[in-house]
Amino acid sequence: MTFAALVVALTVSAQNTSTVIIPKPLQVSQVKGSYVVTPKTVISVSDDSLVRPAEIFADYVASEAGMTLAVEKNAKKGILLAVDSSLGKEEYTLDVTSKGVSIKGGTPQGVFYGLQSLRQLISAGTTAKKGIELQGVSIKDKPLLGYRGAMFDVCRHFFTVKEVKRFIDMVAMHKMNVLHWHLTEDQGWRIEIKKYPNLIKKGSVRKETIIGRNNSTSYDGMPHGGYYTQEEIRDIVKYAAERYIEVIPEIDMPGHMVAALASYNYLGCRDEKFEVRTKWGISKDVLCVGKESTLEFIEGVLEEVFQLFPSKYSHLGGDEAPRDRWKECPHCQKRMKDEGLKDENELQSYFTHRVEAILAKHGRKIIGWDEVIKGGVNKSVTVMLWQDKRRLQATTLGNEVILTPKKHCYMDYYQTRRPDSNKEGPMFATRIVTLLDAYNLNPYENLKPEQYKNIKGVQCNLWTEFISTFERVQHKMLPRMAGIAEAGWSQGEKNFDDFARRVNHLRQLYDKAGYHHYATYFFDGDDER
Ligand code: ACM
Ligand code: ZN
C-alpha cells in the first residue's frame, strides 16, 4: 500500500468507528446516504410492547428537537421499531439509511437503548431544510455489565417526586438500569410505613441543620423534612420501570437509624429519647440488635417495602455501625453470649443473617455495603464495594460485587483541583473525583479473568449532605455520570480524548433536556492529565 493509500485507509477506518454516542457502542460503521427526520416522520412499532418506549422517545423529540412525531402500529416507514429475539435482552441494532431508521432490540428494553442512541444522534444531527439530517450508520450494541446504577440519597436533603423522576430520566439517558434509592438515614426517614406511623410523624423531620461541616457550632434553625407516600412510591417505581430502570430500596441498618430511634426509642440500646440528627457524620446510636423487638420492627418495615418494590433485591445498608452502644448494652451482650459470637463484628453478621432470612422468606436477596464482609458473610449476599481498601477482599470471596469505589464513583466529591474555578460551594468531603477519574473506573482492575464473572456492575453515588437543590444534583452528576455509565457499558480500549469529544456533544443534549446545571470544569480548562 502506498503511503497516500494508507492515510486514506486510516482516515476511513477512523471515520468508520467515530460516533457521538455515550456510552460508546460496541460496533459502529458508516453507511452511505443520510436520512432527514421531519415532523412528518412516523415511529412505526411492530407490537404493543413497543408503544410506550416509542411514546417516551416521541416526548424527547418533541421537547428537544421541536418535532411531534406520531406513533403508529406497523406503519412500515420512518423510524421502525421491532423486537428481534435473536438479540440479547439489552442488545440492539440501529441502522440509518437513506430509506429511514430501523431499531431492533432483543426485548423492548434493547429497543429503548436504541432509541436513546437515536436521541443522541438527533441532538448532534445537522439542521436541514425540513428537519434534522442523520448520516447513514450501522450500530450493533450491548452492555458489558448487567447492573449499571445510580444511588440517590433523598434523606440528607429531601427531593420531590418530580425531582426524583428527573433523576430517573438522567439515569435512562445514560442507558443505566438501576436507581438505588437511599430512603432512610439518621437525618430523616422518607418512606411511609403504615404499621409504624411515627417514622413519618417524627422521623421525617429534623428540627434544624448544621451550617457547614461537623466542627461548626451554628445551626440554621429551620426544620427540614419530607417523605414519600406509598402511592407516590408506586408511581415512581412505575415511572422508572417504563424506562427499564429497577428501583432498589435501601433501608440502612443497623447504623444510620437515628430517625427510626427518634420515632420508636425502644429500637435503641439505651432507654433514652432520641432526636432526628441535625448534623452529619456517623452516630454512635444504632439499632439494638440484642432485642427481638428490633427484628420484629425490621420485618414489619420490610414487609411493606416488599409490597412497593418488585425488585428481587433489597439493600440493607450495613455501613458505618459503631460498636460503642452494643459493648455496653445488656441485651446485645446477652445475644452475643447466647449465640456464641466472639465480638461485635460477629454480632453485626448475626444481624445480617437474620435480615437475610427475612428477605429469603419473601424471595428477596440482600445487597449490603462492604462492611457486611467483616465478621463473615453468606455467599448469597451481593457486596456493594465503596471502600477502595476492601476491593480485593470483596472480589476474592466469590460473592457478587457491585463496584462503587469512592475514588471513581462518589459524585458528592469535588470535581476540580482548581480552587479558583471551584463553583461547588462548601463540601462535606474534601476528596476529588474529576471527569477523568470517573471515566477511569475499570471494573476488572487487578482481577484475574476467572473473577470477572463476580462483577455484577457499577454504580455512581450521590450523597446529599451538601446538596440541597436539584440544580446542584445536576451539577454533581453530569457529566461524571457519563464516565461511570461508559465503564459499565462499553468494552475495548479506553480513550479519554474520544470520550471528552463525545461528552461535548452530550452537553448539548443536557441543555436540550433541561439539565442546564451540568458541570463544565473539564471544558473550561481543568484538564487534570
Ligand atoms: C457509605 O458511603 N457510607 C456507603
Ligand atoms: Zn443493644
Side-chain angles (χ1 to χ4, degrees):
M1 200 185 284
T2 64
F3 179 70
L6 180 69
V7 169
V8 170
L10 284 174
T11 311
V12 169
S13 88
Q15 277 171 355
N16 276 349
T17 55
S18 166
T19 178
V20 296
I21 297 170
I22 286 186
K24 190 178 165 70
L26 190 62
Q27 274 180 40
V28 179
S29 40
Q30 250 63 46
V31 169
K32 271 223 283 264
S34 67
Y35 179 73
V36 179
V37 179
T38 75
K40 293 210 172 101
T41 301
V42 172
I43 308 170
S44 167
V45 298
S46 64
D47 71 71
D48 290 341
S49 65
L50 297 174
V51 170
R52 195 63 197 121
E55 287 171 351
I56 292 171
F57 172 74
D59 285 346
Y60 295 142
V61 179
S63 62
E64 294 158 12
M67 296 190 279
T68 307
L69 312 187
V71 177
E72 287 179 21
K73 197 106 176 263
N74 290 320
K76 302 211 162 98
K77 60 176 186 188
I79 299 170
L80 303 170
L81 309 185
V83 172
D84 173 350
S85 57
S86 71
L87 301 174
K89 178 171 170 261
E90 296 191 295
E91 190 173 354
Y92 71 89
T93 60
L94 165 57
D95 290 284
V96 178
T97 66
S98 55
K99 296 203 174 69
V101 179
S102 164
I103 293 175
K104 292 184 179 142
T107 61
Q109 184 173 4
V111 172
F112 184 73
Y113 295 142
L115 288 167
Q116 289 295 350
S117 288
L118 181 58
R119 178 186 183 193
Q120 293 188 28
L121 294 179
I122 290 174
S123 168
T126 327
T127 307
K129 216 155 88 206
K130 296 201 176 128
I132 293 174
E133 183 178 14
L134 309 179
Q135 292 306 313
V137 72
S138 175
I139 294 172
K140 292 190 196 319
D141 200 10
K142 63 177 179 185
L144 174 69
L145 298 172
Y147 180 113
R148 304 172 305 280
M151 188 217 69
F152 194 13
D153 165 13
V154 292
C155 302
R156 271 52 178 269
H157 283 99
F158 178 72
F159 292 88
T160 63
V161 169
K162 196 167 158 213
E163 289 164 340
V164 175
K165 288 182 176 174
R166 293 286 288 143
F167 190 94
I168 288 169
D169 288 329
M170 255 161 39
V171 176
M173 182 190 273
H174 295 84
K175 302 193 182 91
M176 296 173 106
N177 59 7
V178 175
L179 168 65
H180 164 181
W181 203 7
H182 187 79
L183 283 163
T184 64
E185 257 306 336
D186 297 323
Q187 294 86 1
W189 183 283
R190 307 277 174 238
I191 168 173
E192 179 189 29
I193 301 293
K194 297 199 166 145
K195 187 167 179 190
Y196 298 106
N198 284 357
L199 291 171
I200 289 312
K201 265 195 226 131
K202 297 188 175 166
S204 73
V205 184
R206 61 175 178 266
K207 71 171 197 263
E208 58 185 356
T209 303
I210 194 166
I211 299 173
R213 298 195 187 163
N214 268 1
N215 56 6
S216 156
T217 51
S218 41
Y219 287 77
D220 65 6
M222 290 187 333
H224 180 87
Y227 68 94
Y228 309 98
T229 64
Q230 295 200 347
E231 201 177 322
E232 286 171 332
I233 288 173
R234 286 201 176 89
D235 176 46
I236 285 172
V237 168
K238 175 168 178 277
Y239 187 89
E242 284 182 338
R243 286 149 185 82
Y244 303 95
I245 291 167
E246 178 177 341
V247 186
I248 299 181
E250 180 184 356
I251 309 296
D252 200 349
M253 61 185 96
H256 292 283
M257 266 282 170
V258 173
L261 304 192
S263 311
Y264 297 98
N265 70 328
Y266 72 84
L267 297 172
C269 287
R270 294 171 165 186
D271 191 14
E272 64 182 88
K273 268 181 84 89
F274 300 93
E275 273 193 345
V276 180
R277 193 170 164 89
T278 54
K279 59 181 185 179
W280 314 122
I282 301 173
S283 168
K284 287 187 177 152
D285 289 306
V286 299
L287 288 179
C288 176
V289 301
K291 294 183 223 165
E292 270 312 293
S293 50
T294 303
L295 282 141
E296 279 161 28
F297 168 83
I298 292 299
E299 182 151 14
V301 168
L302 290 178
E303 277 173 354
E304 292 191 32
V305 169
F306 300 150
Q307 298 295 314
L308 299 170
F309 296 93
S311 172
K312 75 171 189 221
Y313 289 97
S314 198
H315 201 305
L316 63 39
D319 59 324
E320 300 177 328
R323 312 317 196 193
D324 309 60
R325 300 291 182 260
W326 294 348
K327 285 191 171 148
E328 300 164 351
C329 170
H331 304 284
C332 288
Q333 291 303 313
K334 179 167 187 308
R335 174 81 81 190
M336 284 170 59
K337 196 153 160 259
D338 292 350
E339 300 291 335
L341 308 173
K342 79 171 187 299
D343 60 17
E344 284 73 17
N345 288 340
E346 289 195 358
L347 184 60
Q348 180 162 352
S349 286
Y350 167 85
F351 176 74
T352 306
H353 291 320
R354 289 286 306 267
V355 178
E356 190 179 13
I358 298 172
L359 265 75
K361 232 173 34 186
H362 296 268
R364 308 276 169 142
K365 284 178 55 119
I366 328 186
I367 303 177
W369 295 111
D370 59 39
E371 283 94 332
V372 296
I373 299 175
K374 282 203 257 175
V377 70
N378 287 341
K379 279 268 179 301
S380 46
V381 173
T382 300
V383 177
M384 186 168 273
L385 190 132
W386 67 285
Q387 301 182 86
D388 306 319
K389 64 180 183 200
R390 257 200 269 279
R391 183 180 173 110
L392 267 177
Q393 192 191 352
T395 44
T396 49
L397 286 174
N399 289 49
E400 233 176 32
V401 173
I402 296 164
L403 292 169
T404 177
K406 289 189 282 188
K407 68 179 180 195
H408 300 286
C409 299
Y410 269 41
M411 304 283 108
D412 57 323
Y413 289 0
Y414 282 123
Q415 37 196 327
T416 168
R417 290 189 178 83
R418 293 199 193 174
D420 62 336
S421 66
N422 192 333
K423 304 176 200 90
E424 298 191 87
M427 299 293 292
F428 183 56
T430 53
R431 292 177 67 170
I432 299 167
V433 171
T434 62
L435 180 62
L436 175 63
D437 295 329
Y439 177 72
N440 274 342
L441 172 64
N442 170 2
Y444 300 139
E445 191 179 311
N446 293 333
L447 296 191
K448 300 192 182 82
E450 63 269 25
Q451 292 172 319
Y452 292 1
K453 64 179 185 318
N454 298 337
I455 304 298
K456 182 177 169 60
V458 297
Q459 178 172 293
C460 45
N461 292 341
L462 191 66
W463 300 108
T464 58
E465 285 94 337
F466 284 77
I467 299 168
S468 59
T469 65
F470 196 68
E471 284 77 20
R472 295 257 292 151
V473 170
Q474 295 170 42
H475 192 76
K476 303 306 278 184
M477 295 306 284
L478 306 176
R480 287 182 298 176
M481 182 183 220
I484 305 303
E486 185 139 327
W489 183 284
S490 306
Q491 312 190 25
E493 294 276 295
K494 291 230 180 218
N495 178 337
F496 182 69
D497 288 334
D498 182 62
F499 172 69
R501 176 187 63 78
R502 287 178 288 118
V503 173
N504 214 11
H505 284 284
L506 194 61
R507 287 167 68 180
Q508 295 171 32
L509 183 56
Y510 290 162
D511 270 322
K512 288 172 189 161
Y515 298 117
H516 301 295
H517 300 271
Y518 62 84
T520 59
Y521 302 103
F522 173 78
F523 298 97
D524 296 343
D526 284 17
D527 187 342
E528 303 294 349
R529 286 162 298 165

